[in-house]
Amino acid sequence: MKKLVLALGLAGCCTSAFAQPQSAPTREEATQALQNAMQREIQTMNDRQGFDGPAATGVAKSLQVRSLDNCQATGGQGVVCDVTTSADVRGSRREGVNRYEFYQQAGRWEARLPAS
């Protein structure tokens, strides 16, 4: 009987572990995911007249995630967080807070930028 109770307890523990919301990425993983997302956006905008691709690429490389707050699991396999970022933009340091969705693809974190 004790073994049955222990087995049921372990099964319940494992089930609740799988039901927990997906964890958020670390600051380093979020930085890399946002840099990758910005690079993809820059590549698609390079064809626009008057778009300064090299300057935009420099901003993407300088982007740093300072904090991830209020993370919540999405209906899918992702997590949405309020992200405080810092970047060098035209010689001055700027910080801002935006809401981004992070998801895992092929074992690494990716990010979706808000629709513009």
Side-chain angles (χ1 to χ4, degrees):
M1 187 62 158
K2 287 182 184 179
K3 288 182 183 179
L4 179 61
V5 171
L6 180 61
L8 288 174
L10 286 175
C13 176
C14 293
T15 302
S16 68
F18 284 112
Q20 294 292 326
Q22 186 168 347
S23 65
T26 64
R27 282 187 4 210
E28 292 79 17
E29 291 168 330
T31 296
Q32 187 63 52
L34 287 174
Q35 287 175 345
N36 292 343
M38 288 179 68
Q39 289 296 335
R40 287 191 303 271
E41 289 291 317
I42 289 167
Q43 288 174 354
T44 60
M45 292 190 303
N46 267 332
D47 294 334
R48 294 183 185 168
Q49 187 175 14
F51 180 73
D52 189 355
T57 299
V59 169
K61 288 180 183 175
S62 71
L63 176 78
Q64 297 262 322
V65 171
R66 295 287 183 214
S67 68
L68 293 127
D69 301 303
N70 303 320
C71 294
Q72 301 171 342
T74 63
Q77 294 295 319
V79 63
V80 177
C81 300
D82 293 327
V83 182
T84 303
T85 56
S86 177
D88 288 319
V89 179
R90 295 185 178 148
S92 65
R93 196 84 173 148
R94 295 191 185 173
E95 290 202 11
V97 178
N98 293 291
R99 195 148 180 84
Y100 295 107
E101 180 181 357
F102 296 95
Y103 60 96
Q104 287 194 320
Q105 184 173 349
R108 70 178 195 177
W109 286 99
E110 295 290 339
R112 287 189 184 93
L113 301 177
S116 41

